[in-house]
Amino acid sequence: SAAAVRATQGRRRLMVAGVSAVAIPVYVASVSSGNLPARAVPGTVLLLLILMWVVFVVGVASGIGFGRLSVPQLAVMFALITFVIGSSLGVLIQIQLATGAKIISPEGTGAHAAAQVTGYLALMAVGLIDWRLLGEASRRTMAATVMVLSLFISGLAIATGLLLGIIPLAGLATPLELIAVGILLARVGRPALAALGSPATRHFAIAVPFLILNIALTIILIVRVVSSGSTQDLPFGLIIALDHAMFVGTMTNVLFGVLFSATAGQRVWPWADDLIFWGMNLGVAVFIAALLADARDLERFTAPVMGAAVLLAIATFTLRLRSNRSAAPAPASA
């Protein structure tokens, strides 16, 4: 029956989620260990898990109909497709480091990071921001489709250009990302301003300027690469600032916004909400400015503030999730 099929699919998804929850920290630990073979093995396992998630998502999308997907659904689908590409490159690099085989040129290793950040994370952030800020008001317009496709193609262009050494191809990402930013601002700019006043939505709202900052810094980086014809001698501060705008300013805010929504009924440590929001966001904003200005003393001062806010958030949301679980009603008898 259809109910039995759905139940089986649900159990499979839970199994994949459980294995992913174990495999990800194992991979992080292996990378930290510096053992090259140990990094390649869990990386390959994670790639297989990612493929399983993508097969599931594309299958669901085909069932809905690609032309009928919402903007968040379309963005997440293309994000995961890019994730497979970037992760495949990352695993090949890990195998290359572990075995000494010549698979990818040193110049092409940046393609892995480009696909993961410019393609996967940017698309995932756009999908989640659109979902939470617009809600029922979200409409799949032609402009919205162009926004998603522009980010998808720009991520592929940068990754392919770096991988194959065709630097001008990476330059194609600049106009595409400018188009995407313009549409994003027109689409969520006003809702984001309104959402800043609400603790339930402000993490999604503040992620918008950080995402735009990440794209702006990416464009600056692309212009430097295209003008010099090389990925060598790029400003270290610019690269780290770009990463923090995405990983902390954008994605961490989006994740905390999702966790806040998921634990809205639990008010464990209510005093922590403002400390988390302002500590992390002011900390990362000043930290990015210090990186770009090469102000080392300011970097050393703001990094602990940012990190402490994130650690407080992890503790707070963990306690709230546990409270949610303990407060969940017992299932009724059949």
Side-chain angles (χ1 to χ4, degrees):
S1 66
V5 171
R6 287 195 296 270
T8 301
Q9 291 175 340
R11 285 193 294 270
R12 289 175 180 172
R13 290 196 294 273
L14 284 174
M15 181 190 69
V16 175
V19 176
S20 300
V22 174
I24 291 171
V26 168
Y27 177 65
V28 172
S30 68
V31 172
S32 302
S33 72
N35 187 306
L36 297 180
R39 291 165 60 175
V41 174
T44 303
V45 173
L46 274 180
L47 178 59
L48 294 175
L49 290 169
I50 292 166
L51 285 170
M52 294 176 72
W53 281 115
V54 172
V55 168
F56 162 70
V57 168
V58 173
V60 172
S62 63
I64 297 171
F66 294 108
R68 298 171 55 195
L69 294 177
S70 67
V71 174
Q73 289 170 334
L74 189 70
V76 168
M77 184 187 71
F78 279 121
L80 289 174
I81 291 172
T82 312
F83 192 27
V84 171
I85 297 170
S87 299
S88 299
L89 293 173
V91 169
L92 288 174
I93 293 169
Q94 298 286 10
I95 293 173
Q96 177 174 283
L97 292 172
T99 63
K102 300 298 182 182
I103 303 174
I104 297 176
S105 66
E107 293 78 11
T109 55
H112 162 62
Q116 301 293 63
V117 177
T118 308
Y120 164 57
L121 290 178
L123 279 166
M124 189 65 74
V126 165
L128 292 172
I129 288 168
D130 190 280
W131 170 52
R132 299 306 298 173
L133 290 186
L134 296 181
E136 295 297 325
S138 177
R139 295 291 181 269
R140 170 86 179 272
T141 63
M142 179 62 71
T145 302
V146 169
M147 173 184 68
V148 172
L149 290 176
S150 295
L151 287 173
F152 176 64
I153 296 171
S154 68
L156 293 182
I158 297 174
T160 305
L162 294 177
L163 180 64
L164 302 179
I166 308 173
I167 300 301
L169 182 59
L172 175 64
T174 297
L176 291 172
E177 294 196 338
L178 288 173
I179 291 170
V181 165
I183 297 173
L184 178 66
L185 279 174
R187 190 171 174 85
V188 304
R190 186 173 296 176
L193 288 175
L196 278 172
S198 169
T201 53
R202 59 183 176 180
H203 281 287
F204 296 102
I206 201 68
V208 175
F210 279 114
L211 176 60
I212 293 172
L213 175 61
N214 169 266
I215 292 175
L217 294 176
T218 300
I219 291 173
I220 294 171
L221 192 66
I222 293 169
V223 170
R224 292 185 70 110
V225 170
V226 173
S227 62
S228 66
S230 172
T231 58
Q232 305 299 317
D233 300 324
L234 292 173
F236 181 74
L238 174 61
I239 296 173
I240 303 302
L242 183 154
D243 286 342
H244 277 76
M246 175 56 76
F247 291 112
V248 182
T250 303
M251 291 309 301
T252 303
N253 266 308
V254 168
L255 290 173
F256 286 173
V258 171
L259 287 169
F260 191 95
S261 300
T263 59
Q266 299 298 331
R267 301 308 300 150
V268 177
W269 294 2
W271 50 266
D273 291 334
D274 286 337
L275 289 177
I276 292 168
F277 181 80
W278 293 110
M280 184 180 74
N281 287 297
L282 288 177
V284 71
V286 176
F287 185 70
I288 290 170
L291 285 168
L292 295 175
D294 196 24
R296 298 296 175 85
D297 290 338
L298 194 56
E299 289 177 32
R300 286 190 286 268
F301 173 76
T302 53
V305 174
M306 174 177 57
V310 171
L311 290 173
L312 176 61
I314 292 171
T316 300
F317 289 126
T318 298
L319 291 174
R320 290 179 184 178
L321 287 169
R322 286 181 176 177
S323 297
N324 262 5
R325 185 175 180 180
S326 62
S333 59

